């Protein structure tokens, strides 16, 4: 796989700003072609120095996650990113509400286009729930693909979460050619058996009574809660050892113009690893290069 192996920095630093520079050095040393950044985090460096560091490390910035509209769009543009992430409110379940959501996504896409960026929707499992009243017939993701403007919105297909929701990821890529410029690489060992197993933020952990940081609004989790959340991701097994047919997926994705395969790992205790994220970064890279 030439010039398409990227890493989401979340795999190393999660949502914490610390450790970004060390993570970038590791990605470069391992051999990744580039990275997907989170927000406007520069590891504390001035923008020009951060850009030079990435250049020195031979890491291209393909996209930026978690940016906040016009506040962060100039940063993504300055970094040379081509794509920025957008998402759908998971509370939208009816056809009427989802179509309104599609209109809002198109508007976001138009905003980012003004900065020379292409918006891409990154999914979890929520987007593969059935549209309310159309159970067994229409998934939310189908409406998103069919009712958004391809010139304004692409899809960053997180195939791990999609497989967790029980869909055939290769079939989706073949059914909607040209809509998937980015693939988020994530293995899935088993499809969810119920709605609870599909939850990105399990309600038993992220309940309404959970305290939040007064400054950031981020939920405050105990160490036990953090471990429980981590264990809910245990389905994210070793690449090639799960239910995704990677050769077929890559063939379909390449045929429709995929530009980057972005490795993102949420669970580190996999065969061949010592349980650390750094070890998994190397294992995932080796698998991708082998395709």
């Amino acid at each position: 796989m030439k010039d398409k192996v990227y890493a989401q920095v979340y795999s190393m630093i999660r949502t914490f700003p610390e450790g970004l520079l060390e993570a970038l050095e590791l990605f470069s040393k391992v051999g990744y072609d580039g990275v997907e950044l989170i927000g406007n985090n520069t590891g504390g460096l001035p923008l020009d120095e951060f850009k030079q560091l990435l250049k020195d490390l031979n890491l291209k910035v393909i996209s930026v996650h978690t940016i906040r509209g016009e506040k962060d769009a100039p940063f993504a543009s300055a970094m040379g990113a081509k794509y920025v992430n957008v998402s759908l409110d998971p509370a939208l379940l009816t056809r009427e509400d989802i179509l309104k959501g599609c209109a809002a996504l198109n508007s976001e896409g138009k905003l980012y286009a003004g900065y020379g960026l292409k918006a891409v929707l990154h999914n979890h499992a929520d987007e593969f729930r059935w549209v309310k009243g159309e159970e067994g017939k229409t998934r939310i993701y189908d409406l998103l693909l069919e009712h958004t403007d391809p010139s304004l919105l692409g899809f960053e297909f997180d195939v791990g979460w999609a497989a967790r929701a029980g869909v055939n990821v290769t079939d989706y890529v073949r059914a909607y050619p040209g809509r998937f410029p980015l693939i988020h690489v994530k293995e899935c060992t088993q499809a969810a058996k119920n709605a609870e197993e599909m939850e990105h933020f399990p309600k038993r952990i992220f309940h309404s009574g959970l305290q939040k940081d007064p400054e950031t609004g981020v939920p405050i989790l105990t160490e036990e809660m953090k471990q429980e959340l981590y264990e809910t991701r245990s389905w994210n097994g070793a690449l090639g050892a799960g239910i995704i047919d990677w050769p077929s997926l890559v063939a379909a994705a390449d045929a429709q113009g995929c530009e980057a395969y972005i490795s993102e790992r949420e669970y580190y205790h996999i065969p061949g690893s010592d349980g650390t994220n750094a070890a998994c970064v190397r294992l995932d890279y080796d698998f991708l290069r082998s395709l």
Side-chain angles (χ1 to χ4, degrees), residues 163-217:
R164 183 65 170 166
V167 303
N168 185 306
V169 295
T170 301
D171 285 350
Y172 258 98
V173 173
R174 289 173 176 160
Y176 298 95
R179 301 305 304 274
F180 303 100
L182 305 178
I183 298 292
H184 248 212
V185 174
K186 192 178 294 171
E187 185 60 90
C188 177
T189 57
Q190 184 180 38
K193 295 186 288 292
N194 51 55
E196 182 180 359
E197 289 188 351
M198 288 174 57
E199 292 177 341
H200 186 230
F201 294 114
K203 293 183 181 65
R204 67 179 184 276
I205 302 174
F206 294 86
H207 51 77
S208 59
L210 192 63
Q211 291 187 336
K212 296 183 178 180
D213 184 295
E215 294 186 3
T216 65

Side-chain angles (χ1 to χ4, degrees), residues 227-242:
Q227 183 61 31
E228 185 177 2
L229 177 62
Y230 176 68
E231 291 299 331
T232 68
R233 305 295 200 258
S234 61
W235 54 264
N236 178 204
L239 291 178

Side-chain angles (χ1 to χ4, degrees), residues 18-253:
E18 299 81 8
L20 175 61
L21 304 185
E22 292 82 0
L24 294 175
E25 290 177 0
L26 175 62
F27 293 137
S28 176
K29 183 177 180 180
V30 171
Y32 282 88
D33 297 313
V35 292
E36 181 174 63
L37 299 175
I38 300 177
N40 58 10
N41 181 15
T42 64
L45 294 179
L47 183 61
D48 288 346
E49 291 184 23
F50 186 60
K51 289 175 65 176
Q52 185 61 49
L53 173 64
L54 287 164
K55 183 177 181 181
D56 293 342
L57 293 174
N58 293 313
L59 292 173
K60 302 174 185 177
V61 176
I62 186 69
S63 58
V64 183
H65 257 228
T66 322
I67 70 170
R68 297 161 292 177
E70 292 183 288
K71 177 179 176 61
D72 293 330
F75 169 80
S77 182
M79 293 309 303
K82 187 172 181 179
Y83 299 99
V84 291
N85 166 252
V86 295
S87 58
L88 183 76
D89 182 348
L92 303 182
L93 296 174
T94 67
R95 174 177 283 265
E96 180 181 6
D97 286 344
I98 295 162
L99 293 182
K100 289 179 181 178
C102 289
L105 290 171
N106 285 335
S107 294
E108 283 191 82
K110 188 173 183 179
L111 182 153
Y112 289 123
Y115 291 90
L117 302 163
K118 179 70 176 284
V120 289
L121 186 139
H122 175 268
N123 63 279
H124 294 107
D126 292 333
E127 291 81 0
F128 295 91
R129 290 174 296 173
W130 299 110
V131 175
K132 188 175 182 181
E134 300 180 37
E135 289 79 7
K137 180 181 177 182
T138 310
R139 295 184 188 274
I140 294 172
Y141 205 63
D142 298 323
L143 292 186
L144 296 176
L145 283 157
E146 294 165 5
H147 294 276
T148 51
D149 186 339
S151 70
L152 298 174
L153 184 76
F155 288 77
E156 181 178 56
F157 197 15
D158 189 313
V159 295
W161 276 110
R164 183 65 170 166
V167 303
N168 185 306
V169 295
T170 301
D171 285 350
Y172 258 98
V173 173
R174 289 173 176 160
Y176 298 95
R179 301 305 304 274
F180 303 100
L182 305 178
I183 298 292
H184 248 212
V185 174
K186 192 178 294 171
E187 185 60 90
C188 177
T189 57
Q190 184 180 38
K193 295 186 288 292
N194 51 55
E196 182 180 359
E197 289 188 351
M198 288 174 57
E199 292 177 341
H200 186 230
F201 294 114
K203 293 183 181 65
R204 67 179 184 276
I205 302 174
F206 294 86
H207 51 77
S208 59
L210 192 63
Q211 291 187 336
K212 296 183 178 180
D213 184 295
E215 294 186 3
T216 65
V218 175
I220 300 174
L221 302 181
T222 65
E223 290 304 313
E224 291 77 11
M225 288 176 176
K226 292 178 182 178
Q227 183 61 31
E228 185 177 2
L229 177 62
Y230 176 68
E231 291 299 331
T232 68
R233 305 295 200 258
S234 61
W235 54 264
N236 178 204
L239 291 178
I243 61 178
I244 296 175
D245 182 345
W246 289 99
S248 294
L249 172 63
V250 169

Side-chain angles (χ1 to χ4, degrees), residues 262-289:
I262 305 170
S263 178
E264 182 187 49
R265 176 156 293 283
E266 301 191 63
Y267 189 77
Y268 308 117
H269 289 79
I270 61 174
S273 155
D274 58 5
T276 65
N277 45 9
C280 292
V281 159
R282 295 177 184 275
L283 289 170
D284 292 345
Y285 169 84
D286 288 342
F287 178 83
L288 278 172
R289 282 291 191 221

